[in-house]
Amino acid sequence: MRVRRRPRRLRAREQVLGRRAPGSGLLHRSPAGLKVAALAVFTAVILVVREPVVSAGGVVLVLLTALAVQVPLRMLLALLRRLWLLLLVLIVLQMLLNDPLTAVEVLSRILAALLAAQLLILTTEPVELVGVLRVLLTPLKIFGVRPGRAALAALIMLRSIPFLADQFHQAGQQAAARGLERSLRARTVPLLLGAVERARDTGRALSARGIDQV
Amino acid sequence: MTESPQTISFRDVRVLAAGRLLLEVPQLDLSEQRISVIGPNGGGKSTLLQLVNGLVEPTEGYVTTDGLDTVEHGRQVRQRAGFVFSNPAAQLVMPTPLEDVELSLRRSIGHADQRRRIAQDCLVGLGIADLAARSSQELSSGQQQLVALATVLVFKPQILLLDEPTTLLDLANAARFTSMVSRLEDAHGICTITATHDLELAAGAERTLLVEDGRIAADGEPEQIITAYRSRSTA
Amino acid sequence: MMQPQSADTVISAAESKHPQRRTRGGNSAQDIALIGVFAALIAVLAFAPPIPVGSFGVPITLQTMGVALTGLALGPWRGLAAAGLYVVLGLLGLPIFAGFAGGFGVLAGPSAGYLLAFPITALVTGFIARVVVRRAAPRWWVPLLFVAAIGGSILVTHPAGILGMSLNLQVSLQEAFFMDIVFWPGDVVKSLTAAAAAALVHRAAPWILVR
């Protein structure tokens, strides 16, 4: 477990948005917009149809697709480990409240949708999604939405996530050092002030360069 | 250089924020090529620098840079006076340095190819062409600060405003940054106004301003001002 | 030196040597930076592991606190934009929802209603917060901002969340309501914390909402 040995700070930074499946299968090479559209259709179908066969078939379809495009199942299923508590609660609730067939449909529908999305996440660079956002917003120009500004905000968001994750982690350590590990406020205030400062610095630098869109 | 065409003038300037006086400068004319600004944190150094390119607008009075009012002609003033901030990471927004430098040109140059060429030349000029396609996120602070300098230099400004540009850098990177700036001063005649806590760096200027408690407490020969500041701070 | 010419500037010039200058108003680059950074703040709080809070150490998740902080700090429109950017990018496939999930798939999950409500929650909380910061004396800020945060939560987040659970988990509205109750105590704690933190920010950085 080499990853575990790394200093926490670095681990947080790397993990945040950086996990991509290695390789260059078909999904890696497909344009992000196409994958987003395919995922939208897939999700819409299983959300509307709501048949046990379709939802369970969806799970199988996602797993087969992963195998076909060389996305390691281990990385795909890592999502279940991160969401284990939620999934456990779901299973218990479904057993209590619904008949077995409905329970299977609900659970497989949720799994199929989440895992399908995970396929997109594991094969797409975050920056590509900013491009998709920009294209999607273009028709909204007539309502005064400016895609260039939204794209700039999205880029700033991507850059700020690792920074704020570090800040939050440090705030937690500082709180613990002062014996305040259970104080939500001791963790939140430094994070919020860090966010405001970061936004001010970024805004000033952009104003100085005369930039307000990309 | 005896007579520099770049003149910055402050007249009856007061800056208020939420009723608090941040800075008061009754009269100030700056025309030296290298000016340093020293003083305690929160004293008004940063506000003074930001007044020069219109990022902070005077609540009263006016500031002109090169004869242009910083409020009325904000865009032109900011093209002439580039600004480098102390936090390198917050100044970059694009995935790679090259794209970030190109972004600076988006308004002024229509052709994408031409933008790319100029941006590339700019990175070459700063000796960081090897960083062009790297991920900005993974650069060291020192490298990021050089890229931030590039995103500003690509406008070909006559004035550079440097707000504690080396505070967050390690010693080697700070030295690299300052030597790059002095090369620009010598080779292109760029005027610099540097706010800094590095008194050695401040001593290299032709004129030094001590900004304290929202006013210019002293103004003159660097050696004299720095000595006065040192003795006052340690007293 | 220029002298003020019109009559009304002469009057204000009596108090100071020069007239108060008109500023350009909103700064769009600054607004965009705030929107981007606060969208990131919501994401970071969403994937923070549950934190044990209080003397019993009950773990609570922080996702909704990011939304409250965004509305409280940025006001209605920028708050809506920041939470909207977070939700839209998450739906497009950025792994920024709880558990590093993302993509349209979450619309099939139990939290779909809560997620889709976030932009409107930030809008409602932001409206109340803006009135509070502009009109109320600073010593009332914490309790009133708490009202803004919990108000957005009660009026928008919880109803939408209950509806979403009822639809996606095939349970009745009443059953979904009882599932939702689990989140109420944590919500009060988070709203209080958000209000205290936001009040601090508006004192320390008044430029954020002064307009």
Side-chain angles (χ1 to χ4, degrees):
Chain A
M1 293 301 260
R2 231 181 43 217
V3 182
R4 285 265 165 84
R5 288 255 181 79
R6 278 191 180 150
R8 291 280 310 259
R9 212 171 71 90
L10 273 180
R11 222 185 79 202
R13 186 187 281 278
E14 305 232 319
Q15 248 189 7
V16 175
L17 297 174
R19 292 287 293 275
R20 292 293 163 283
S24 55
L26 183 63
L27 274 186
H28 284 90
R29 297 194 306 267
S30 309
L34 194 65
K35 287 184 274 187
V36 170
L39 178 64
V41 172
F42 177 83
T43 309
V45 168
I46 59 165
L47 261 178
V48 171
V49 177
R50 301 195 169 217
E51 289 291 337
V53 182
V54 173
S55 299
V59 177
V60 175
L61 181 67
V62 170
L63 295 178
L64 287 179
T65 310
L67 287 175
V69 299
Q70 295 152 22
V71 169
L73 283 184
R74 182 178 44 80
M75 291 189 82
L76 186 67
L77 299 176
L79 181 75
L80 304 185
R81 207 169 53 231
R82 294 199 295 270
L83 294 176
W84 68 271
L85 186 62
L86 178 77
L87 294 170
L88 186 73
V89 172
L90 275 181
I91 292 170
V92 172
L93 279 175
Q94 288 299 321
M95 291 199 310
L96 289 176
L97 297 174
N98 281 330
D99 61 277
L101 198 62
T102 313
V104 167
E105 194 277 321
V106 169
L107 288 170
S108 55
R109 187 202 320 143
I110 292 171
L111 273 183
L114 286 179
L115 291 175
Q118 205 60 19
L119 270 185
L120 166 74
I121 290 169
L122 286 171
T123 59
T124 311
E125 290 293 329
V127 174
E128 296 178 74
L129 294 171
V130 177
V132 176
L133 173 76
R134 197 194 172 103
V135 172
L136 284 178
L137 289 179
T138 308
L140 297 182
K141 266 184 182 166
I142 49 168
F143 299 112
V145 172
R146 283 182 250 194
R149 294 189 176 195
L152 178 58
L155 287 169
I156 291 170
M157 175 188 181
L158 289 183
R159 287 190 60 93
S160 305
I161 286 174
F163 167 75
L164 290 178
D166 274 358
Q167 291 261 305
F168 189 59
H169 180 67
Q170 281 170 18
Q173 285 185 326
Q174 279 159 9
R178 293 163 60 202
L180 296 173
E181 53 272 84
R182 293 207 171 159
S183 160
L184 189 54
R185 200 174 155 176
R187 290 169 186 261
T188 310
V189 168
L191 177 69
L192 186 62
L193 292 177
V196 169
E197 197 183 310
R198 173 81 171 201
R200 189 202 57 196
D201 288 353
T202 305
R204 271 185 191 162
L206 290 173
S207 306
R209 290 163 67 191
I211 294 167
D212 64 358
Q213 57 183 320
V214 290
Chain B
M1 227 181 249
T2 46
E3 179 75 271
S4 166
Q6 277 80 44
T7 311
I8 298 157
S9 306
F10 289 65
R11 292 289 178 273
D12 305 312
V13 169
R14 275 155 61 91
V15 181
L16 302 155
R20 204 167 68 90
L21 182 68
L22 293 184
L23 186 67
E24 182 167 24
V25 184
Q27 178 168 359
L28 178 70
D29 291 285
L30 303 171
S31 54
E32 289 77 8
Q33 201 197 350
R34 292 166 205 226
I35 296 169
S36 59
V37 183
I38 58 172
N41 285 331
K45 294 195 299 290
S46 190
T47 307
L48 182 79
L49 256 64
Q50 291 184 63
L51 278 165
V52 174
N53 76 341
L55 278 187
V56 167
E57 297 174 353
T59 323
E60 296 165 18
Y62 60 93
V63 179
T64 58
T65 295
D66 241 352
L68 294 170
D69 185 290
T70 55
V71 179
E72 305 298 327
H73 304 281
R75 276 267 299 283
Q76 288 101 305
V77 168
R78 282 189 280 281
Q79 296 263 326
R80 281 161 205 244
F83 207 119
V84 177
F85 297 83
S86 57
N87 185 346
Q91 297 174 72
L92 305 178
V93 291
M94 299 298 278
T96 65
L98 185 63
E99 289 170 277
D100 229 311
V101 178
E102 282 176 41
L103 180 62
S104 291
L105 297 169
R106 193 170 292 242
R107 273 197 177 164
S108 47
I109 295 172
H111 285 284
D113 294 345
Q114 203 180 346
R115 274 205 298 267
R116 173 141 302 195
R117 218 176 36 245
I118 297 175
Q120 224 134 24
D121 289 346
C122 180
L123 291 174
V124 170
L126 284 176
I128 49 172
D130 54 318
L131 303 181
R134 295 262 301 274
S135 157
S136 297
Q137 195 93 56
E138 286 157 16
L139 302 183
S140 73
S141 317
Q143 292 169 325
Q144 284 179 338
Q145 193 66 315
L146 286 172
V147 175
L149 183 61
T151 63
V152 166
L153 280 179
V154 75
F155 292 125
K156 306 235 175 291
Q158 292 101 343
I159 303 168
L160 265 185
L161 304 162
L162 308 167
D163 190 357
E164 301 189 29
T166 55
T167 305
L168 298 178
L169 307 188
D170 61 36
L171 210 55
N173 278 309
R176 187 174 176 198
F177 186 87
T178 23
S179 78
M180 182 57 69
V181 169
S182 51
R183 231 185 66 200
L184 293 166
E185 291 165 336
D186 297 338
H188 302 283
I190 290 179
C191 301
T192 58
I193 304 180
T194 311
T196 185
H197 288 297
D198 180 349
L199 297 181
E200 224 172 288
L201 178 62
E206 295 159 38
R207 177 177 174 184
T208 297
L209 308 176
L210 171 59
V211 179
E212 215 172 30
D213 299 329
R215 61 191 70 243
I216 294 173
D219 176 0
E221 291 287 320
E223 215 171 306
Q224 199 184 332
I225 306 293
I226 290 169
T227 315
Y229 177 50
R230 256 208 188 104
S231 60
R232 206 181 321 173
S233 303
T234 48
Chain C
M1 198 186 291
M2 285 195 300
Q3 282 300 322
Q5 268 143 31
S6 73
D8 53 326
T9 45
V10 172
I11 293 166
S12 70
E15 297 158 26
S16 62
K17 263 166 119 186
H18 268 267
Q20 191 106 354
R21 298 185 62 151
R22 153 186 68 82
T23 54
R24 282 166 305 159
N27 175 339
S28 62
Q30 186 64 75
D31 288 343
I32 289 166
L34 281 167
I35 289 165
V37 172
F38 273 80
L41 180 81
I42 300 175
V44 167
L45 287 172
F47 39 66
I51 285 175
V53 170
S55 44
F56 296 105
V58 181
I60 60 172
T61 56
L62 301 180
Q63 181 163 39
T64 56
M65 192 171 73
V67 179
L69 283 171
T70 299
L72 292 177
L74 301 191
W77 300 111
R78 290 172 303 174
L80 171 76
L85 183 66
Y86 167 75
V87 172
V88 169
L89 275 178
L91 288 179
L92 286 182
L94 203 62
I96 48 178
F97 295 146
F100 298 97
F104 292 113
V106 298
L107 291 181
S111 54
Y114 296 102
L115 279 176
L116 291 178
F118 285 164
I120 309 299
T121 308
L123 180 75
V124 170
T125 298
F127 262 121
I128 308 175
R130 191 169 70 179
V131 173
V132 170
V133 172
R134 285 185 179 173
R135 303 270 170 82
R139 71 197 151 98
W140 290 106
W141 282 0
V142 176
L144 291 174
L145 291 177
F146 169 73
V147 171
I150 203 87
S153 186
I154 292 173
L155 293 175
V156 186
T157 312
H158 287 282
I162 290 167
L163 193 65
M165 284 197 289
S166 163
L167 286 172
N168 279 351
L169 303 179
Q170 316 273 89
V171 296
S172 70
L173 279 174
Q174 200 183 4
E175 285 164 339
F177 176 81
F178 284 112
M179 292 180 207
D180 180 71
I181 284 182
V182 183
F183 301 117
W184 291 8
D187 224 29
V188 172
V189 175
K190 283 182 273 186
S191 296
L192 267 175
T193 308
L200 205 78
V201 160
H202 287 304
R203 266 193 286 271
W207 52 272
I208 287 192
L209 253 182
V210 172
R211 271 211 274 138

